[in-house]
Amino acid sequence: MIDIREWLWFGIRLFVYSTFLFIIFLGLIFLFALWYYWFVVRKRSRNKQQITIKLQNRSFVFHTLSFQISDDEKIVLNVQISPLEKQLIELAQLNGQKYKISSFDIHDEQVEIKFVDSTNCLIIKHEYLEQQSCLSKQTYFVHEYTFVWSSPNYRSCFNDRFNLIETGYWYGGGTQKTVYWPINQFVTKSQALIPHDAYKNMFGNVCERYWLSSLGLALFVDPLVPLFVSMNKKHLELTSEYRTPYRQKRFISHKFQYRLLQHVNMCDLHLTMINRYLGKPIGTPDHRMITEPIWSTWAQFKQDINTEKILDYAEEIVKRNFPRSQLCIDDNWTPHYGAYDFDRKKFPDPKKMISKLKQLNFRVTLWTHPFVSCKSSLFIDYWRRGLLINMNILSSLLDLIIERSTFLQIVFDDFISNPKCQHFINLIKCIHERFFFTLPGISL
């Protein structure tokens, strides 16, 4: 017979000991941070203050783009919309973090801009894309500029801001509760461009890293970039940074890559983006899904469904002679989320139920999702087989603490980029990947 009191006492002691060890571990980390900051970071910062570099040429032209380096180290990007219009339009301000620029080099189709700390670099590549118009069948050329910010320190932050005023009507990005068309009137705080709840002033379930301007400008951000987006009526601001909800497990270098494409015809430019990056559908959906309604149990019953209710629902639709393409059995048809068997209490004979629905000329679909309930017996099985997204408890807590402490960010960033510490960092990586305990990611 199991003694509940013994197990309870064991759990309390385990919690107290683990909490005590974690506090000691955090204390050691903080003491190391103080030592490192006092003897390493302060010395390096004093040496940086003595560096004074003045660029002889603070502006240059690169095909249809013109760059001007301002006194505060920002790179003002101007664009010539068409060969007939010689006037330049201010399109963007690069280097929002104000990294101190040391030099820039132009080699044929590439510009390389280096910074004083010698770790960050901005490379801009140019390419002519030969395309054929689907309307006129004539050949045309598109300017493609690839911007690549890079740093060996994965915690580096890059920030570029694009103007919405006088650069045309803009379309694309993520959906929000209030829909503007075009999006020039969008106002949103800086947030990760990932699907979320649009009713909480976040981006909705459709998020595209693609923006298109009526003046023939297209902006496309690489899918692997940890991207944050903010907008007001003047600017579209793109920030690349590894912080919540993006996690960098292997401490690899940070690369922020995006492309700027330019052509005088907006339609041809959009088709170029489709052919080159966005892709096309490989088939057409069934015409019944377009021309006839899709019925769902959620609209009528929410989660309270069973065989009798679904069959009565279908027969009522047929009785009223409503058109129908399919019927979706929605939420709570399984015993727990993550299971793919019918709840036998609600659906004692699901095969017979589906046969009756098909006899009524319904195609039947089931509501599914990428989550597994902790109450399901499959949860442990999926975790054991490595099918769940795991999170490292200790490293995740440290990341959250570092995000909220400017002091720890300074120390950690300097430590990661210090060449003398690379052997020690590699040892930490090895220990982190092999021995640190992981648990499945839990979402509320």
Side-chain angles (χ1 to χ4, degrees):
M1 184 174 180
I2 299 175
D3 190 345
I4 301 298
R5 291 176 296 179
E6 290 185 6
W7 278 103
L8 180 62
W9 178 239
F10 173 76
I12 293 174
R13 284 188 296 175
L14 180 63
F15 174 77
V16 172
Y17 291 157
S18 57
T19 303
F20 182 69
L21 290 175
F22 184 69
I23 292 174
I24 292 177
F25 179 75
L26 286 182
L28 293 174
I29 291 291
F30 191 75
L31 289 175
F32 170 77
L34 284 175
W35 174 86
Y36 190 87
Y37 178 80
W38 188 262
F39 291 101
V40 180
V41 176
R42 289 177 72 250
K43 180 179 179 180
R44 185 175 287 114
S45 62
R46 286 196 299 267
N47 293 335
K48 285 184 178 181
Q49 290 175 0
Q50 298 174 0
I51 299 176
T52 57
I53 296 178
K54 294 184 178 180
L55 297 177
Q56 296 179 353
N57 299 318
R58 303 188 68 86
S59 63
F60 58 93
V61 178
F62 187 54
H63 297 283
T64 58
L65 298 183
S66 172
F67 296 83
Q68 183 176 359
I69 302 173
S70 61
D71 294 334
D72 60 355
E73 305 299 331
K74 287 188 177 181
I75 304 171
V76 180
L77 178 64
N78 299 295
V79 62
Q80 183 179 344
I81 297 299
S82 70
L84 300 178
E85 298 180 9
K86 300 300 181 182
Q87 183 178 0
L88 298 177
I89 298 177
E90 184 177 318
L91 176 63
Q93 300 88 41
L94 313 181
N95 192 28
Q97 297 301 114
K98 298 181 181 179
Y99 297 115
K100 190 172 182 61
I101 300 170
S102 62
S103 65
F104 63 81
D105 298 312
I106 304 177
H107 302 288
D108 297 330
E109 300 298 314
Q110 179 173 302
V111 176
E112 183 174 0
I113 301 176
K114 297 182 178 180
F115 300 85
V116 169
D117 58 9
S118 73
T119 58
N120 297 337
C121 180
L122 172 61
I123 296 177
I124 305 161
K125 304 175 184 177
H126 174 266
E127 183 180 356
Y128 284 109
L129 305 181
E130 184 177 350
Q131 303 289 311
Q132 187 178 39
S133 174
C134 62
L135 300 176
S136 63
K137 304 302 180 182
Q138 294 181 348
T139 301
Y140 64 91
F141 291 90
V142 174
H143 289 283
E144 180 184 72
Y145 299 93
T146 302
F147 294 75
V148 183
W149 284 93
S150 61
S151 171
N153 182 4
Y154 85 97
R155 290 192 57 83
S156 296
C157 176
F158 301 118
N159 178 274
D160 291 343
R161 189 172 63 179
F162 291 82
N163 291 338
L164 298 178
I165 299 177
E166 298 182 354
T167 56
Y169 298 111
W170 286 86
Y171 306 88
T175 58
Q176 286 188 310
K177 180 180 179 181
T178 303
V179 179
Y180 290 97
W181 192 259
I183 63 170
N184 294 60
Q185 299 299 314
F186 256 150
V187 176
T188 179
K189 61 182 180 181
S190 179
Q191 55 181 305
L193 190 63
I194 57 175
H196 216 288
D197 190 348
Y199 288 92
K200 295 181 180 179
N201 295 322
M202 297 179 177
F203 292 119
N205 58 350
V206 178
C207 292
E208 292 287 349
R209 299 180 168 210
Y210 168 52
W211 293 266
L212 181 67
S213 167
S214 60
L215 291 185
L217 299 167
L219 184 63
F220 180 69
V221 181
D222 190 273
L224 298 180
V225 169
L227 182 64
F228 295 82
V229 175
S230 65
M231 286 188 65
N232 53 40
K233 298 180 181 180
K234 296 181 179 179
H235 301 106
L236 164 66
E237 192 164 343
L238 306 179
T239 302
S240 179
E241 184 178 9
Y242 279 108
R243 58 181 173 89
T244 306
Y246 302 105
R247 286 283 179 245
Q248 176 55 272
K249 295 183 179 180
R250 298 186 179 273
F251 304 103
I252 60 177
S253 59
H254 183 187
K255 185 167 73 171
F256 174 31
Q257 177 173 301
Y258 60 89
R259 291 174 172 85
L260 177 67
L261 284 80
Q262 181 189 11
H263 181 58
V264 292
N265 188 301
M266 180 185 180
C267 179
D268 287 340
L269 179 61
H270 181 54
L271 291 176
T272 300
M273 290 296 304
I274 291 175
N275 293 330
R276 190 167 175 84
Y277 296 112
L278 305 178
K280 301 177 182 178
I282 58 176
T284 56
D286 190 293
H287 74 281
R288 288 180 61 188
M289 295 184 65
I290 306 299
T291 60
E292 298 176 355
I294 299 174
W295 298 88
S296 173
T297 59
W298 178 264
Q300 183 75 12
F301 307 108
K302 298 297 185 286
Q303 293 182 329
D304 185 19
I305 56 175
N306 55 38
T307 298
E308 183 180 357
K309 289 184 177 181
I310 290 177
L311 291 177
D312 290 344
Y313 183 46
E315 290 172 356
E316 185 71 17
I317 294 171
V318 174
K319 179 181 177 181
R320 295 179 180 272
N321 201 28
F322 288 144
R324 53 201 178 274
S325 63
Q326 64 195 53
L327 189 148
C328 176
I329 300 176
D330 211 286
D331 195 4
N332 217 21
W333 58 273
T334 60
H336 299 290
Y337 285 167
Y340 293 98
D341 296 325
F342 278 89
D343 186 343
R344 292 296 177 170
K345 294 181 180 179
K346 298 180 177 181
F347 304 96
D349 193 350
K351 185 177 181 180
K352 183 178 179 181
M353 176 191 69
I354 293 174
S355 297
K356 288 184 178 180
L357 292 173
K358 289 187 175 181
Q359 290 174 6
L360 297 174
N361 199 24
F362 283 100
R363 293 178 298 183
V364 183
T365 58
L366 301 172
W367 181 75
T368 60
H369 50 77
F371 303 104
V372 180
S373 173
C374 298
K375 299 178 182 179
S376 172
S377 60
L378 295 173
F379 178 79
I380 299 297
D381 181 54
Y382 287 169
W383 179 30
R384 179 180 56 82
R385 294 162 57 189
L387 301 178
L388 302 180
I389 296 177
N390 289 337
M391 56 180 285
N392 189 295
I393 302 296
L394 185 59
S395 62
S396 298
L397 287 173
L398 288 176
D399 283 341
L400 289 174
I401 293 171
I402 291 173
E403 281 182 16
R404 287 161 174 76
S405 172
T406 305
F407 168 71
L408 290 179
Q409 287 179 17
I410 294 173
V411 173
F412 191 76
D413 293 348
D414 189 275
F415 179 74
I416 290 292
S417 59
N418 192 338
K420 298 180 180 180
C421 302
Q422 293 307 308
H423 294 293
F424 184 63
I425 293 172
N426 292 332
L427 177 62
I428 294 177
K429 290 180 183 179
C430 181
I431 297 174
H432 176 270
E433 293 175 0
R434 293 189 180 185
F435 302 107
F436 275 29
F437 185 65
T438 61
L439 286 176
I442 305 297
S443 176
L444 298 179

